[in-house]
Amino acid sequence: MTHYRFLNRLICFTMAAILLSGCGFKLRGSTDIPESSRLVTLILKSGTSVSFEQALKRTISQQGINIRENAPYQLTIKQVEENRRSITLDSKANVDEYEILLLVNFEILNSDGESISGPLVARTERIYDYDADAATASYSLEKEIREEMWQSISERIVRQYIAQTR
């Protein structure tokens, strides 16, 4: 009886694997990158957030793209904007929630310095609860949220780069 149960599970697993591979399913983040797109020159606006720069470089390398001078394509970060504003107040006029907005304007250029994408924008926003009684914990939470948001924007920028350079 256990032999039959094992064989039944093996057949079900094999069928599921065949169906998933047949429908074109791919894990998120794994994309086919043309050989010509595997090299990029990265130009960052001065004063760019270190967190964003690290997240972007990490995402670029995770996709198998190398940052080099004189590459066939140039990823130019033109503007990086961070904004935090209070959204709601409690009955004592203390901040209850904040909104964080991160915005990046960028452009993709070819080796001749001509734009192949036009101006592009990656934007994300997030609202989080703030507790004045636990300011240290709220600060840590905000820092973690910002890092996640920079990672998300970096992934969007790299996906746009890959799409534009195909």
Side-chain angles (χ1 to χ4, degrees), residues 54-72:
Q54 290 173 344
L56 184 59
K57 287 180 177 179
R58 182 175 49 247
T59 303
I60 287 172
S61 74
Q62 285 173 346
Q63 289 294 331
I65 302 170
N66 294 311
I67 300 172
R68 300 272 190 262
E69 292 293 322
N70 302 321

Side-chain angles (χ1 to χ4, degrees), residues 13-92:
F13 178 74
T14 305
M15 291 300 291
I18 290 171
L19 288 172
L20 279 177
S21 66
C23 74
F25 173 79
K26 284 187 179 182
L27 290 174
R28 183 177 182 195
S30 62
T31 56
D32 296 326
I33 302 172
E35 198 60 41
S36 63
S37 301
R38 291 191 184 270
L39 294 175
V40 67
T41 301
L42 181 61
I43 298 180
L44 297 168
K45 178 184 182 241
S46 63
T48 300
S49 161
V50 173
S51 297
F52 170 59
E53 182 178 348
Q54 290 173 344
L56 184 59
K57 287 180 177 179
R58 182 175 49 247
T59 303
I60 287 172
S61 74
Q62 285 173 346
Q63 289 294 331
I65 302 170
N66 294 311
I67 300 172
R68 300 272 190 262
E69 292 293 322
N70 302 321
Y73 296 104
Q74 186 179 66
L75 179 58
T76 305
I77 307 299
K78 298 198 172 258
Q79 178 186 10
V80 179
E81 188 177 318
E82 293 183 66
N83 191 6
R84 181 182 96 157
R85 65 185 181 125
S86 58
I87 295 295
T88 60
L89 302 174
D90 64 11
S91 60
K92 297 177 184 175

